[in-house]
Structures are given as C-alpha cells and as structure tokens.
Amino acid sequence: MNNPILVTGAGKRVGFHIASRLKQDGYEVLAHYRTETDDVQKLKQLDIQTIQADLQDTASIMEFIDKLQQFSPAYRGIVHNASAFTPTADDLVEAAEQYQHFFTIHMLAPFLINQALSKLLKGPGNDPADIIHITDINVENPTPRFDIYGTTKAGLHNLTLVSAKKLAPQIKVNSVAPGPVLFTESHTQEARQKMLSETPLAREGGAEPVYLAIKSLLENPFITGATIPVDGGRRLSKA
C-alpha cells in the first residue's frame, strides 16, 4: 500500500470531495471525520480508510495523533481541511468560547499534528512530502462579522509560512485559500447575491477547483510557502 494522505474534516462538503477525488486519482487516503454522516459512509464504500476524532482540546488532539502514528508508519502528506465557521457571537462570554474553539481547530490541531507527524512524512522518490492548509481569502480581505473565523484562519496562514521554513527540505508546506466555493446555511439569499456581485467570475465555484489546487501542489515538487487563492477573484473586492 502506498503511504496515505491524511485529510481532516472529510466527513462532508469540501473535505469529502477532496478525499474522494484523491482516491479517484490513485492516492491512498485516510479520511478524518468528527461526526458520522452519509458522506462518511460513502467514503467507506469507496474503500477509503476513515478515522474519527473530535479535535476539541489538547487531550483529544494528542489522542488522535496517537491513532495516526499507530495507523501508518509513513504518510505521503496532510491536508488540513477541518474547520469551524459561524459568525462571531455578540455575547462576550460566548465569543470567548468561540475563539478558543476556532483557535483549537484552525491553529492548535494543525500545529500539533504537523509537529508529531513530520518525521513520518515521506514524499515520492526524492521529492518532498506535502502539508497543505485550507485557509480562506478572509485572511487577506477580512469580514467583520466573521472576525474570529478570519483571525484564526490568518493564524493558520502564518503557520504555513513558518512551517515552510522549518520543515524544508523534506516537507513543503502550502495553503489553498477558498472564497465562495460552497455556500452554507448561514448565508442568506441576499448575502449570497452580494458575495457573487463582489466576485469577478460571478459564480459559486464548487469544491472541484479547491481539489485541483491541492492536486497541483502535490504534483509540483518546487513550491513551498505559497498560497493559491480559489475565490473567483473575490479577494480583489474592497467590500
């Protein structure tokens, strides 16, 4: 068996698409999920190995890392897709709890997993292995209503840059920054139309362009510390 690529947050939406497309393109995949979903069952039907973990605190992250170390002696790469996305709470106590949760998912978990698995990451042949962080164009063009989300994703972006320096030359570390690829239930019809009006390509991108950006990074052995925006140009908007 080839060394697997770990995809976190693969139980639905973009993460599910990434895991299934990697498998389709011949990669071995270990798909992490938090909650059992219909998409998790679909991953299993595609003969994709799955692993459950709720990355809610340091202890649970370390338990997950222990499972990963037992699952395989080597990994081809990691795609950090696990994410939390809600508007910032108005109540300060709720906002503080939200900040801690988003920090844990977006920053602490990737940092600890990268550190723990760095010695297990093996690229193809003489090429480096890959770590890919899924950030957001909010890093470059923040939305005030989602400031906790945006600032913790910005921390993940910075982790990309420092890790690219720290883990070279054995591992290359890059980011993919999606924009309006898949709307969520929190987006009203008015919000969707506004976002699309601010997007030069004027449409919802879908999950496939995110996967294509990931694939391009996996296949290019000479890119590290870079971010590929997958946003239809929305980061260029002043809004």
Side-chain angles (χ1 to χ4, degrees), residues 6 58 61-70 72-75 78 80 108-122 131 159 163 166-167 171:
L6 169 67
T58 302
I61 296 168
M62 297 307 294
E63 182 180 346
F64 178 52
I65 288 170
D66 185 60
K67 290 181 182 179
L68 294 174
Q69 291 170 332
Q70 293 180 43
S72 177
Y75 286 85
I78 306 170
H80 287 288
L108 182 61
F111 171 77
L112 293 176
I113 293 168
N114 291 350
Q115 291 290 112
L117 296 191
S118 61
K119 295 188 184 307
L120 303 185
L121 288 170
K122 310 293 182 184
I131 293 173
L159 183 62
S163 299
K166 185 175 183 178
L167 300 178
I171 302 167

Side-chain angles (χ1 to χ4, degrees), residues 116-209:
L117 296 191
S118 61
K119 295 188 184 307
L120 303 185
L121 288 170
K122 310 293 182 184
N126 294 322
D127 290 338
D130 284 272
I131 293 173
I132 300 173
H133 297 148
I134 307 301
T135 58
D136 196 286
I137 60 163
N138 223 298
V139 168
E140 188 173 337
N141 188 9
T143 303
R145 185 165 172 258
F146 292 88
D147 52 356
I148 291 178
Y149 170 80
T151 53
T152 53
K153 282 288 189 177
L156 182 58
H157 169 74
N158 188 268
L159 183 62
T160 301
L161 302 179
V162 71
S163 299
K165 295 180 179 181
K166 185 175 183 178
L167 300 178
Q170 290 80 15
I171 302 167
K172 50 193 174 77
V173 187
N174 294 289
S175 294
V176 173
V181 293
L182 286 178
F183 289 122
T184 69
E185 294 180 358
S186 69
H187 291 110
T188 64
Q189 191 60 35
E190 180 182 2
R192 296 181 188 201
Q193 290 303 317
K194 183 176 186 298
M195 289 173 68
L196 294 181
S197 70
E198 297 165 356
T199 302
L201 295 186
R203 59 180 176 142
E204 186 179 7
E208 179 66 4

Side-chain angles (χ1 to χ4, degrees), residues 77-93:
I78 306 170
V79 178
H80 287 288
N81 173 74
S83 185
F85 181 78
T86 52
T88 296
D90 293 327
D91 180 81
L92 283 181
V93 174

Side-chain angles (χ1 to χ4, degrees), residues 2-101:
N2 294 328
N3 297 333
I5 295 177
L6 169 67
V7 180
T8 69
K12 60 182 180 180
R13 293 171 55 81
V14 174
F16 165 77
H17 187 84
I18 293 168
S20 57
R21 288 287 283 117
L22 283 169
K23 181 69 173 181
Q24 182 181 345
D25 280 344
Y27 292 96
E28 289 297 325
V29 179
L30 176 60
H32 156 264
Y33 67 95
R34 184 189 66 176
T35 305
E36 190 78 34
T37 64
D38 290 342
D39 283 342
V40 172
Q41 291 304 312
K42 292 177 183 176
L43 291 173
K44 294 176 181 178
Q45 292 167 9
L46 292 171
D47 200 27
I48 293 174
Q49 296 279 346
T50 61
I51 184 168
Q52 191 278 334
D54 188 353
L55 308 178
Q56 60 183 332
D57 53 32
T58 302
S60 61
I61 296 168
M62 297 307 294
E63 182 180 346
F64 178 52
I65 288 170
D66 185 60
K67 290 181 182 179
L68 294 174
Q69 291 170 332
Q70 293 180 43
F71 178 84
S72 177
Y75 286 85
R76 164 66 180 85
I78 306 170
V79 178
H80 287 288
N81 173 74
S83 185
F85 181 78
T86 52
T88 296
D90 293 327
D91 180 81
L92 283 181
V93 174
E94 291 180 16
E97 294 174 351
Q98 185 181 16
Y99 218 125
Q100 185 62 53
H101 176 61

